[in-house]
Structure formats: structure tokens, C-alpha cells
Amino acid sequence: MNAGNTNTGGDKLTVQNLVQVFNRQKVLHNVSFTVKDGEFLSILGPSGCGKTTILRILIGLLSPTSGTILKDGVDITEAPPADRNMGIVFQNYALFQNMTVLGNVEYALHFNKALKSNARSIALNIIEQVGLSEHAGKKPGKLSGGQQQRVAIARTLALNPEIILFDEPMSALDAAIRLSLRDEIKRIQKKFHSTCVYITHDQEEAFALSDRIMVLHAGTIQQLDTPENIIRNPATAFVTEFVRDTLKIKIDSLVKYING
Ligand SMILES: Nc1ncnc2c1ncn2[C@@H]1O[C@H](COP(=O)(O)OP(=O)(O)OP(=O)(O)O)[C@@H](O)[C@H]1O
Ligand SMILES: [Mg+2]
């Protein structure tokens, strides 16, 4: 398990031969990939293919059956979540309903030795960055789904994580809000230079947001490439079919647009 302090130069995360077995069933088969510093990588694949399992292993909620995870060349496979400097944004926001927006963003800062003395000003600053200043004193129940998800993103950003993991953050939102939040996430990522790993089964979303996309099927990486290469040179029959679906969605929406 000791991979040493190999400097991978520009690679923020290196995942090597990840295997996960649940109840004697292998759900990840030797998954290996890297995420570059500042990169936006999406993991795209159908329900049950192992996306959330990879994220849980990355953040340290699950210890893999075998395999290694390096961050900046350092083995963190067995490091506790708090020592990884990663943040996660879930589908269901997971906000404290009895606290205000400000309270929610401030909360985790109080447990951080380095940041707690400035918790209030850090929280207010981040809330402003995600455009929620006028809602800082409201409870989450008074906000739209998209606004609540921005609170969850602000809460994650407040701790200044090196890597942000997203597990289908838009899947509970309607189409129009998804489009605006998509732009917001991209803007935030550029501004904070965050390294992002973004799970989705929405192909359009992955193609719009990502520097590279990993297409995962049944716990096996089918292709890890730029959106353009995935469309132009699909590596497997599975990816070919996936791409065809994406193009079909685009053509359908274009036809709808033309027909008014
Ligand atoms: N704790 C667990 N115990 C047993 N099986 C599990 C556990 N967690 C996940 N699995 C199984 O592992 C496989 C991968 O699950 P995972 O949650 O990673 O899929 P996913 O790609 O995130 O799917 P979805 O798009 O539906 O969220 C599934 O077959 C799932 O039933
Ligand atoms: Mg999942």
C-alpha cells in the first residue's frame, strides 16, 4: 500500500487499480485514472455502474477492497475524510433546515481550527460569491431548490477544499434551474481553480461542463477522454451507443426549438 511520495507533476489525484467488492459481487473492476490539478472531470454512466462508490472511496467514506489513491503523489487510501481536504455536494443538499443560510455555511467553519476565528466573514464572502447575500438570513425552506443547492456549494467552498466532488447535484432540479446552476458551477470552478469530479447520468451536462469525461459501465472504464474525442472516436460499442443518444437529444431539442 506504500506508494511513496512520487511526485506526479500536475496530477492532483491518481487512482490505481481500484476494486470494490460488495457481498462477493465486484462492482468496481481495476478502475485507474488521474485527475489533473484544476481539471473538471465527469463520471458518466447508467444507474448502478459504480459512480457513487468511486466518490465514496475518494472522499474516504469507504475503504476500497483493493487499490490505491494518491493526492499530489501522497498515498491517502487509508486517510480519514477530515485529512483529505476534499468537499462533497450531494443531490439532496443535506442542509440544516433549522439554521439560516449563513448558519449553514458558517457551521463547518467552527470546527476548523485555522478558519474558525474568521468564520463569519468567510461565510458572508462565499455567500456573496454564489449570489445569495440577500437570502443569508433565511432558512433553507424559504429558498428554491436551485438556491438551496447554491447554499450547499457555498458551504463546501467555505472550507477551501482542494478537490470538490459532486454526486448528481442537479438531479432533483427542473430543467431551467439546471441550466443556470450549470453555468454557476462552471463559473465558480474557474474562479476558485478547483479540481472537480462530477458525477452525472445526464450526458448533456457532462459534455457541457467537463474537460474530460469518464464513461463508466458495470464498474469498468469504457473511455476517459475529452468530450470531443468521445464523440469523434468512441472507444467501445457501449460508448458509441451512448454518444448516439446524446446526439439524438441534441437533435430533438434543436427540432423543438426550430418548430417553436
Ligand atoms: N453498501 C453497499 N452494499 C452492497 N452493495 C452496494 C453498496 N453500495 C453500492 N452497492 C451496489 O454497488 C453497485 C454500484 O452502486 P453505486 O451506488 O456506486 O452506483 P451509481 O453508479 O452511483 O448508481 P446511481 O446512478 O443509481 O446513483 C450497485 O449494484 C449497488 O447496488
Ligand atoms: Mg449514485
Side-chain angles (χ1 to χ4, degrees), residues 79 132 174 207:
L132 289 174
D174 66 39
F207 278 81

Side-chain angles (χ1 to χ4, degrees), residues 196-218:
C196 294
V197 180
Y198 187 97
I199 287 186
T200 181
H201 55 236
D202 182 329
Q203 300 170 34
E204 267 205 82
E205 208 169 275
F207 278 81
L209 279 168
S210 312
D211 297 312
R212 288 187 305 155
I213 298 173
M214 174 199 300
V215 181
L216 192 69
H217 175 52

Side-chain angles (χ1 to χ4, degrees), residues 14 43 48-49 52 59 63 91 103 126 164-165 183 194 199 206 212:
T14 307
I43 303 179
C49 72
T52 297
I59 203 156
S63 178
Q91 172 188 336
I126 297 283
I164 307 178
L165 309 173
D183 291 344
S194 319
I199 287 186
R212 288 187 305 155

Side-chain angles (χ1 to χ4, degrees), residues 88-97 104 107 140 148-149 151-152 155:
I88 191 159
V89 177
F90 295 104
Q91 172 188 336
N92 61 1
Y93 328 134
L95 298 175
F96 298 115
Q97 294 300 322
N104 268 280
Y107 184 78
Q148 290 190 54
Q149 193 54 293
V151 178
R155 182 183 54 183

Side-chain angles (χ1 to χ4, degrees), residues 24-176:
R24 282 192 238 138
Q25 203 190 348
K26 215 185 234 192
V27 303
L28 295 177
H29 302 260
N30 283 302
V31 169
S32 300
F33 62 98
T34 60
V35 189
K36 296 184 193 105
D37 196 13
E39 185 174 35
F40 198 111
L41 177 86
S42 288
I43 303 179
L44 177 65
S47 186
C49 72
K51 303 182 295 296
T52 297
T53 302
I54 292 177
L55 228 61
R56 289 176 64 211
I57 292 171
L58 291 181
I59 203 156
L61 294 173
L62 180 68
S63 178
T65 306
S66 62
T68 308
I69 299 161
L70 310 178
K71 192 183 81 177
D72 296 321
V74 177
D75 189 339
I76 57 157
T77 314
E78 301 301 331
D83 292 349
R84 296 186 183 210
N85 201 8
M86 297 185 195
I88 191 159
V89 177
F90 295 104
Q91 172 188 336
N92 61 1
Y93 328 134
L95 298 175
F96 298 115
Q97 294 300 322
N98 60 337
M99 286 186 198
T100 62
V101 167
L102 178 60
N104 268 280
V105 178
E106 243 186 320
Y107 184 78
L109 290 165
H110 288 308
F111 297 97
N112 186 297
K113 278 198 191 103
L115 302 175
K116 72 176 171 188
S117 58
N118 293 320
R120 175 62 51 93
S121 64
I122 294 170
L124 286 171
N125 180 25
I126 297 283
I127 288 168
E128 189 186 348
Q129 309 257 14
V130 301
L132 289 174
S133 289
E134 63 185 291
H135 304 291
K138 293 182 187 165
K139 302 245 170 92
K142 299 274 185 239
L143 303 179
S144 70
Q147 288 169 329
Q148 290 190 54
Q149 193 54 293
R150 277 195 276 162
V151 178
I153 292 169
R155 182 183 54 183
T156 301
L157 286 170
L159 291 168
N160 199 21
E162 291 169 73
I163 301 165
I164 307 178
L165 309 173
F166 295 88
D167 194 350
E168 309 216 25
M170 315 259 209
S171 54
L173 304 172
D174 66 39

